Amino acid sequence: MNIAVVGLSHKTAPVEVREKLSIPEPQTEGAIAHLLSYPHIDEVAILSTCNRLEIYIVSSEITYGIQEVTQFLAEHSKLPIISLRQHLFTLMHSDAVTHVMRVAAGLDSLVLGEGQILAQVKNTHKLGQQFNGIKTTLNRLFKQAITAGKRVRTETSIGTGAVSISSAAVELAQIKVENLAPYRIAILGAGKMSRLLVQHLISKGATRIAIVNRSRERAEELAKQFSEVPIKIHLLPEMISVVSHSDIVFTSTSSTEPILDRAKLEMVLDPNHSLMLFDISVPRNVDADVNDLPNVQAFNVDDLKAVVAQNYESRRKMAQEAEKILDEEVADFDVWWRSLETVSTISSLRNKVENIREQELQKALSRLGSEFGEKHQEVIEALTRGIVNKILHDPMVQLRSQQDVEARRNCMRTLQMLFNLDAEEQFS
Ligand SMILES: NC(=O)c1ccc[n+]([C@@H]2O[C@H](COP(=O)([O-])OP(=O)(O)OC[C@H]3O[C@@H](n4cnc5c(N)ncnc54)[C@H](OP(=O)(O)O)[C@@H]3O)[C@@H](O)[C@H]2O)c1
């Protein structure tokens, strides 16, 4: 069995491609079932965020497993394999293990050290288990990655300053206008990213904020959290009117289709009114055709790269500290992963010895006859079990603790030969 990850990220693909590959949460169950229906995919987990779509697999035939994931991605995105391939990366074995740890720790994020990715990795783990994609190996891998992510956040200063895509978007807006205070700002969406937008906007001096959301309840809950600034609340049918009366609009909804485009804006925008749109959603909420309007300036997540470059420099040293923690977590996973190959030898040895114990016990009990009391039988049963467990304990511990691959395999071969075991050879 081997591990691989096939995917694409902000480092390998622009947002126009990433959004085609994105797998929204409601589609996760179907995607996992589809991937598991391929002959060489034994376990699967899907990590879909604004910055990346990654599919982790466990397969006994890893090359075929990778081909099957690539095939799935081409079908899902409706992109020909040839054009998709230039954006895909594939990592195998320990490289895949190291990668998921770096991702969970925020070291592979567009905004280095952002905290949201850890929650997204946890969600991948939860959904993978819920829809039966994650079994023994990926369960251990994701648990270890989550531990790694938590350790990096608590043992280094990489999370200080609460950086996120939202904070970077607010920073970009501030660079464009300098002083946010006089501007009428609208936020489309009232989810996690919108909450961070409001928080950063207020901390940067914004005072005229409106939220437009699909449901009123969530927007009201959000507004309540920021009593220092009066926040106006609107529902989606009022969106176009609110946008037309705003100077700056942030979009952060989970809509899979654009909710703003040229046609909608053209109808309501005064030609003398300049509008700036900051879209942090993937798939994008703002159609690229708005750029045809002379009075509209639109930015998306990929436009945040310039802002985050400065952030990257200041966090690079912290990232180096984090890499040391990740090395420890990777090594921990590796010990567990390697110990897996001893499972079949250990269970063969246990079965063999257990069969001997049961046969010899039955012989002894039948010789003792029916007058031999039940209580005495229990004592003899416990005695034989105790002896067997004690004899097997040391060889099992010794075998599992062999770190060196060849030394461990030699031990397994010796055990198989000496005890005449028919353990399946997993390491030939
Ligand atoms: N989470 C992150 O770390 C992160 C980072 C960067 C970018 N993003 C992107 O930001 C966007 C929002 O993410 P989030 O984490 O804030 O999501 P979230 O907490 O789940 O909130 C989703 C928001 O989108 C609204 N919504 C959902 N479907 C909609 C539709 N069809 N039309 C209009 N509104 C709709 C929801 O309205 P209701 O309240 O009515 O349900 C809610 O306000 C996503 O595109 C995501 O990829 C997320």
Side-chain angles (χ1 to χ4, degrees), residues 22 25 48-51 114-117 119-120 164-166 188-196 211-219 222 236 239 251-257 259 279-285 301 304:
S22 147
E25 197 167 315
S48 181
T49 77
C50 63
N51 278 336
E114 51 113 1
Q116 289 69 41
I117 187 66
Q120 290 164 331
S164 61
I165 291 280
S166 295
L188 311 189
K192 297 179 282 297
M193 297 317 283
S194 302
R195 190 184 67 76
L196 292 172
I211 294 171
V212 181
N213 197 41
R214 190 173 57 176
S215 65
R216 178 174 292 281
E217 202 188 357
R218 204 153 171 203
L222 173 53
L236 272 188
M239 176 183 74
T251 52
S252 55
T253 82
S254 300
S255 169
T256 50
E257 301 293 330
I259 53 176
D279 182 12
I280 59 168
S281 311
V282 181
R284 285 171 296 175
N285 284 175
V301 269
L304 302 178

Side-chain angles (χ1 to χ4, degrees), residues 21 25 38-39 108 114 138 151 236 239 271 278 317 346 395:
L21 274 292
E25 197 167 315
Y38 286 104
D108 199 61
E114 51 113 1
L138 288 186
R151 282 192 62 198
L236 272 188
M239 176 183 74
F278 296 88
K317 194 161 174 296
I346 288 176

Side-chain angles (χ1 to χ4, degrees), residues 100-388:
V100 67
M101 308 258 177
R102 297 190 81 252
V103 168
L107 299 195
D108 199 61
S109 294
L110 178 65
V111 180
L112 191 66
E114 51 113 1
Q116 289 69 41
I117 187 66
L118 185 55
Q120 290 164 331
V121 171
K122 283 183 189 166
N123 200 35
T124 291
H125 182 225
K126 189 187 90 183
L127 296 178
Q129 286 186 310
Q130 189 178 333
F131 302 129
N132 303 318
I134 289 187
K135 293 163 205 151
T136 315
T137 305
L138 288 186
N139 183 37
R140 175 73 187 216
L141 178 62
F142 274 84
K143 277 187 169 168
Q144 197 95 43
I146 291 163
T147 303
K150 282 185 191 159
R151 282 192 62 198
V152 166
R153 299 204 73 70
T154 51
E155 295 174 32
T156 74
S157 331
I158 201 150
T160 47
V163 285
S164 61
I165 291 280
S166 295
S167 68
V170 170
E171 214 173 311
L172 182 60
Q174 201 185 22
I175 290 169
K176 299 286 169 195
V177 300
E178 282 187 23
N179 177 12
L180 288 165
Y183 290 91
R184 295 166 297 173
I185 300 174
I187 298 171
L188 311 189
K192 297 179 282 297
M193 297 317 283
S194 302
R195 190 184 67 76
L196 292 172
L197 282 170
V198 177
Q199 181 186 321
H200 289 285
L201 282 166
I202 293 175
S203 76
K204 299 281 181 195
T207 52
R208 305 172 74 186
I209 301 174
I211 294 171
V212 181
N213 197 41
R214 190 173 57 176
S215 65
R216 178 174 292 281
E217 202 188 357
R218 204 153 171 203
E220 279 175 353
E221 259 172 46
L222 173 53
K224 247 191 257 161
Q225 294 172 38
F226 299 95
S227 50
E228 61 271 46
V229 169
I231 296 174
K232 288 186 186 150
I233 291 171
H234 304 271
L235 295 182
L236 272 188
E238 301 161 75
M239 176 183 74
I240 279 296
S241 153
V242 175
V243 169
S244 69
H245 291 98
S246 301
D247 308 301
I248 297 174
V249 174
F250 292 89
T251 52
S252 55
T253 82
S254 300
S255 169
T256 50
E257 301 293 330
I259 53 176
L260 285 180
D261 58 18
R262 177 192 168 139
K264 281 184 189 159
L265 291 179
E266 219 165 19
M267 281 198 303
V268 292
L269 269 193
D270 180 333
N272 300 317
H273 174 194
S274 307
L275 177 66
M276 269 191 246
L277 300 169
F278 296 88
D279 182 12
I280 59 168
S281 311
V282 181
R284 285 171 296 175
N285 284 175
V286 177
D287 197 299
D289 68 4
V290 300
N291 288 305
D292 300 342
L293 297 169
N295 50 341
V296 174
Q297 272 183 283
F299 305 92
N300 62 45
V301 269
D302 284 356
D303 295 312
L304 302 178
K305 281 183 179 161
V307 180
V308 301
Q310 298 163 355
N311 163 286
Y312 187 84
E313 273 314 306
S314 61
R315 279 166 197 270
R316 215 167 42 172
K317 194 161 174 296
M318 302 173 207
Q320 280 164 0
E321 285 168 41
E323 298 280 5
K324 287 186 208 140
I325 294 173
L326 298 189
D327 286 346
E328 289 169 19
E329 295 298 328
V330 169
D332 207 20
F333 178 80
D334 203 45
V335 168
W336 175 83
W337 172 246
R338 290 183 188 288
S339 76
L340 275 188
E341 73 175 7
T342 62
V343 167
S344 110
T345 305
I346 288 176
S347 75
S348 294
L349 182 57
R350 279 209 160 278
N351 287 345
K352 177 142 197 171
V353 176
E354 179 60 17
N355 284 340
I356 296 170
R357 186 192 72 81
E358 270 180 13
Q359 281 167 13
E360 295 306 311
L361 179 67
Q362 287 316 318
K363 272 194 227 160
L365 291 178
S366 67
R367 276 206 302 275
L368 288 167
S370 56
E371 69 277 12
F372 198 68
E374 223 172 75
K375 188 160 179 229
H376 293 108
Q377 287 188 20
E378 279 170 20
V379 171
I380 294 186
E381 165 99 31
L383 171 76
T384 57
R385 270 192 204 287
I387 293 172
V388 162

Side-chain angles (χ1 to χ4, degrees), residues 18-59:
R18 296 205 300 279
E19 68 187 357
K20 289 197 172 75
L21 274 292
S22 147
I23 300 181
E25 197 167 315
Q27 291 175 23
T28 307
E29 182 175 10
I32 288 178
H34 189 156
L35 283 155
L36 286 177
S37 73
Y38 286 104
H40 301 100
I41 298 180
D42 298 297
E43 293 189 42
V44 63
I46 298 172
L47 177 61
S48 181
T49 77
C50 63
N51 278 336
R52 66 190 67 249
L53 181 272
E54 296 180 348
I55 298 193
Y56 291 83
I57 57 163
V58 172
S59 169

